[in-house]
Amino acid sequence: MKIVDLTDDRKELYFFCLEDWSEEMKEAGDHKRAWYEKMKDQGLGVKLALDDTGEVGGMIQYAPIEHTFVEGQDLHFIYCIWVHGYKKGRGNFQKRGMGKALLKAAESDAKEKGAKGMVAWGISLPFWMRASWFKKQGYTKVDKQGIQVLLWKPFTNDAIPPKWIKKKKPETTPGKVMVTAFVNGWCQAQNIVYERAKRAAAEFGDKVVFQEIDTFERPTLLEWGTSDALFIDNKEVRTGPPPSYKKIRKLIARKVSKL
Ligand SMILES: CC(C)(COP(=O)(O)OP(=O)(O)OC[C@H]1O[C@@H](n2cnc3c(N)ncnc32)[C@H](O)[C@@H]1OP(=O)(O)O)[C@@H](O)C(=O)NCCC(=O)NCCS
């Protein structure tokens, strides 16, 4: 097994989170590519894990924290680490050491680039990216917002702990249902949610106002404290894993029926 940097010939696979077999991924639009094109000159690191036959089994993406959705300085932040775990497509590569090797390679790269520490996030519940996995890899909890846990591994004594940015909810509009979708681009699952919400909202004509909040620019992130989210009026919809188009449509329909 070896860890390599992303190269042009593997970009499409990376944009699809290694799930090039997935029909769902085709719903994600072009947000990831657009995000990558902007982030590649802002210090974004992408590494892939290859097995002994050269097949890609895992990926990690990270960047200087100042360009991400977390408050901090002189640190690098891991957006996500993913070792393909489905039987479908390329198959299950988990529990063969790829995750550990990817994390180690990203940490070394961040250190070389002068970072004072590495930051990661996970969920306190046993699904999606578990915070406990990073704890096992030597990370300590530094902040929490709901079920989202922020963890870090400082490399130097003068590293300053990172923090979540405080979240703000969107306003409601009298006589309308507001569907607010925050979209950043880095996460394909959340790009899917955005595209589904936009399509579903359009079905209800002028009873529903669809509001897109593009969170790529830092001032927008600092204002809202969220990179990706879906709100129907001021109620947040759980988006991990992505709700189906039908479910989102149903949630909007329920609100419309109460107008
Ligand atoms: C967490 C993850 C990155 C680990 O990668 P991996 O290649 O399977 O892990 P490794 O083989 O390197 O194992 C590293 C350690 O984690 C442990 N581990 C692996 N999967 C685990 C799991 N599901 N639960 C608990 N521990 C786990 C291993 O036992 C090993 O422990 P050790 O350090 O005591 O030996 C991988 O399982 C994954 O991608 N999971 C899904 C995460 C996810 O949802 N990411 C967001 C996608 S957008």
Side-chain angles (χ1 to χ4, degrees), residues 131-154:
S132 60
W133 188 77
F134 287 108
K135 275 193 196 153
K136 235 179 136 182
Q137 307 309 318
Y139 284 65
T140 51
K141 184 178 140 184
V142 72
D143 198 9
K144 194 167 186 249
Q145 187 157 235
I147 58 167
Q148 296 185 334
V149 181
L150 198 63
L151 306 103
W152 82 323
K153 186 194 254 188

Side-chain angles (χ1 to χ4, degrees), residues 60-239:
I60 188 166
Q61 47 182 5
Y62 52 97
I65 201 161
E66 292 83 354
H67 298 301
T68 71
F69 50 92
V70 175
E71 216 176 302
Q73 45 189 299
D74 303 325
L75 305 165
H76 275 226
F77 173 74
I78 300 169
Y79 289 93
C80 74
I81 176 168
W82 167 232
V83 175
H84 194 273
Y86 299 111
K87 279 193 191 139
K88 281 182 256 177
R90 53 200 50 250
N92 187 351
F93 290 83
Q94 291 186 1
K95 300 194 177 168
R96 294 195 220 162
M98 282 187 169
K100 254 177 151 167
L102 282 163
L103 186 61
K104 231 178 167 176
E107 286 172 1
S108 303
D109 186 32
K111 257 185 215 168
E112 258 173 46
K113 288 171 177 164
K116 293 184 175 181
M118 200 65 159
V119 180
W121 72 285
I123 303 291
S124 55
L125 302 174
F127 67 87
W128 200 249
M129 185 67 236
R130 298 166 192 205
S132 60
W133 188 77
F134 287 108
K135 275 193 196 153
K136 235 179 136 182
Q137 307 309 318
Y139 284 65
T140 51
K141 184 178 140 184
V142 72
D143 198 9
K144 194 167 186 249
Q145 187 157 235
I147 58 167
Q148 296 185 334
V149 181
L150 198 63
L151 306 103
W152 82 323
K153 186 194 254 188
F155 302 148
T156 63
N157 288 333
D158 63 345
I160 300 165
K163 283 192 293 195
W164 284 120
I165 302 167
K166 205 171 164 355
K167 285 187 185 182
K168 184 175 100 174
K169 282 185 178 186
E171 305 273 326
T172 55
T173 303
K176 305 271 184 197
V177 173
M178 286 292 294
V179 174
T180 307
F182 292 84
V183 66
N184 185 277
W186 71 270
C187 176
Q188 278 296 66
Q190 299 307 308
N191 296 337
I192 291 172
V193 173
Y194 166 83
E195 290 295 334
R196 285 179 181 165
K198 188 177 176 179
R199 262 197 303 139
E203 278 200 42
F204 296 90
D206 61 5
K207 289 188 181 129
V208 171
V209 177
F210 181 75
Q211 178 181 215
E212 171 188 338
I213 300 182
D214 182 334
T215 62
F216 185 80
E217 297 301 334
R218 186 79 173 164
T220 313
L221 268 177
L222 292 174
E223 180 187 351
W224 293 97
T226 194
S227 98
D228 295 89
L230 174 63
F231 283 83
I232 298 178
D233 283 339
N234 53 13
K235 192 168 178 338
E236 187 165 3
V237 177
R238 272 267 174 95
T239 56

